[in-house]
Amino acid sequence: MALTPRTAGAPEGSGRHGGGRRGGGRGTDRRPRRRRALRWSATVLAVVIIGTAGAGYLYYEHLNGNIQKGRRTSADDSKAQRTRPNAAGQTPLNILLIGSDSRNSAENVKLGGSKNNRGNPPLGDVQMLIHLSADRKSAAMVSIPRDTRVDIPKCEDPKTGRTYPATNGIINTSLARGGAGCTLATWENLTGVYIDHWMTIDFSGVVRMADAIGGVEVCVNQNVWDRPTPDQPGGSGLKMKAGRKKVKGVQALQWLRTRHAWGSDLMRARAQHMYLNSMLRTLKQQNIFTDTGRLTDLAEAATKSLTVSEEIGTVKKLYDLGMELKSVPTNRITSVTMPNVEDPVNGQHVVPEKGGADRMWQMLRDDVPFDKNGKEAKKKSKDEPVKSPSMDAAELGVLVQNATQSSSGPAVPGRARAIGEVLVRHGYGRAAADTSAAVSADETLVRYPSADLQGDAQAVAKALGIPVGQVKRSTDVSGVTVVVGADWRTGAAYPKKSAPKAGDVPENSDALNGSDTSKCMEVYKPYRW
């Protein structure tokens, strides 16, 4: 501690200097000594401040050094665009959370229970989009089952430089085809939702985080033991009695990995949503800032457990993200699973259920709350201002692309030609079908390359009945281009769609509110004890 001038020197009148002389002698000594004491005290104080700040800085850099980072995306052909700002100039925030089954360390092999898979490319068995509303008053957590068949775009592995061609496959394999950036690109292509960041966590990371938080409460209706059976090998090893229990460490990982005891991969997503909702409630109740040990443990666990996209690869940015999520009331957090149906190609897999999935993606793109517990906010129009065409319709070249192919079905033959003929009838004599490589899009769009063609693109959209909000500027086209998506497979006029309202989530999305503590997992009979 820095000493004050009073304690630094001798007491006044002590006679320590000059044998107790008074008058001029005392005056000549006191001022220089006081200045020296002040200088010494300031020096001590400065050392204390610098030492403390230095230790803090070194620890901050230590935490930053824990964080592993990677490129945001591994593909360069995403058509997803950011949602336009609301009336206050705020935009939503979308973060893709990926649970990796990597067994590339002894710790993960031990926890994952599969030595034969050590060194294999990891699979993204848990994939969940966390959507924070523009006003940060609501949030949604959207899961896609790991066995969903989707279009995976061309991706480049940032570590090896290897390029993987576009394919149609199971979504959990995207992580092995270019890392988390490829999974992000796959989600963007499927949903049309712009994703700002990604985070990945492996087996050992889940264990560290659960321990740092102090455990998370979960609930089962019957005694559960997820173990091998005569009909089904494997299992997470989860064993607990009916009722509520706080799980941590390895048992928390077992809860999140359990699938057989819940009956399906879809029910595993529900169990994961319950866990995350409970974890958020736990964090809200804790005041870690008054508990230095807990704060340090949580900081160490988080930075060692997560690999993140490079633009959020600092402690401060991760902390800010955490505080934004923590600020959302639990009754404004909704967990859902993408509506899906059995894959007609392989009964072991699923594909998006077109109507429900499309409505969910639209709600995310339009930043519509998944719950009904908030007040409706005034929104700024997401549409660009309507402009006048720069030329007559007969002079404008319009290219029409057939993008009706999707994970739920093949392209409709001749669709581009049919819509081109509709445009010709509207006076666009130079409209023609694009016969180049096949494309796919869930939503129909009209694209244009430069500002001078914006009015022309809007006029084309009007002729076809396409909302002006689906007219987008894009550097991927050389002229006005109509992309006929999977949402317009029949008919000469674009089908009118009603805008989704707050809480209008599909019934088959297994929605769960973050404040609901009444839910417990039902245990599949072979795994009861």
Side-chain angles (χ1 to χ4, degrees), residues 49 51 56 85 104 123 207 300-301 413 418:
I49 292 173
N104 292 334
L123 300 175
V207 172
E300 287 284 354

Side-chain angles (χ1 to χ4, degrees), residues 5 42 169 181 214 324 355 441 448 470 472 476:
E324 287 192 275
Y448 62 96
Q470 290 168 225
K472 307 289 185 182
D476 295 336

Side-chain angles (χ1 to χ4, degrees), residues 26 29 57 67 79 158 168 244 283 312 329 335 371 431 474:
R26 178 179 169 218
D29 286 342
Y57 174 78
I67 303 171
K79 302 297 188 297
N168 183 262
R244 299 187 177 278
L283 287 172
I312 54 168
S335 303
D371 69 284
S474 172

Side-chain angles (χ1 to χ4, degrees), residues 390-404:
S390 65
M391 65 182 76
D392 293 334
E395 300 175 359
L396 181 69
V398 182
L399 198 62
V400 185
Q401 295 179 335
N402 183 352
T404 54

Side-chain angles (χ1 to χ4, degrees), residues 212-268:
I213 293 168
V216 175
E217 186 178 81
V218 296
C219 180
V220 288
N221 284 326
Q222 300 88 16
N223 295 349
V224 59
W225 187 6
D226 192 50
R227 64 196 186 281
T229 68
D231 298 325
Q232 183 66 59
S236 70
L238 176 69
K239 188 176 185 180
M240 58 182 287
K241 292 184 177 181
R244 299 187 177 278
K245 179 183 179 181
K246 186 172 282 191
V247 295
K248 58 194 304 187
V250 173
Q251 195 171 36
L253 175 64
Q254 291 172 337
W255 175 274
L256 293 170
R257 294 189 65 217
T258 293
R259 178 164 55 113
H260 300 144
W262 308 143
S264 71
D265 193 46
L266 302 179
M267 290 299 99
R268 175 164 70 169

Side-chain angles (χ1 to χ4, degrees), residues 339-356:
N340 58 86
V341 293
E342 183 178 299
D343 183 357
V345 177
N346 184 335
Q348 300 299 312
H349 302 152
V350 298
V351 293
E353 186 273 302
K354 193 82 182 112

Side-chain angles (χ1 to χ4, degrees), residues 159-216:
K159 294 183 178 179
T160 65
R162 177 180 175 181
T163 298
Y164 294 86
T167 187
N168 183 262
I170 306 307
I171 197 168
N172 73 340
T173 64
S174 61
L175 188 63
R177 299 175 62 87
C182 190
T183 304
L184 180 146
T186 301
W187 271 72
E188 286 194 337
N189 279 12
L190 174 67
T191 67
V193 176
Y194 181 87
I195 301 175
D196 300 272
H197 317 298
W198 56 256
M199 298 180 180
T200 67
I201 188 168
D202 59 15
F203 296 150
S204 58
V206 171
V207 172
R208 282 194 294 266
M209 289 294 292
D211 284 343
I213 293 168
V216 175

Side-chain angles (χ1 to χ4, degrees), residues 141 213 215-219 244-247 255 270-286 330 333 335 512-517 519:
M141 296 190 291
I213 293 168
V216 175
E217 186 178 81
V218 296
C219 180
R244 299 187 177 278
K245 179 183 179 181
K246 186 172 282 191
V247 295
W255 175 274
R270 178 188 291 181
Q272 291 166 352
H273 291 160
M274 288 181 180
Y275 179 93
L276 287 174
N277 285 338
S278 180
M279 183 180 75
L280 288 171
R281 291 194 297 268
T282 300
L283 287 172
K284 277 181 170 291
Q285 293 165 1
Q286 294 177 350
T330 53
I333 299 173
S335 303
L512 179 67
N513 188 272
S515 63
D516 188 350
T517 60
K519 298 290 190 295

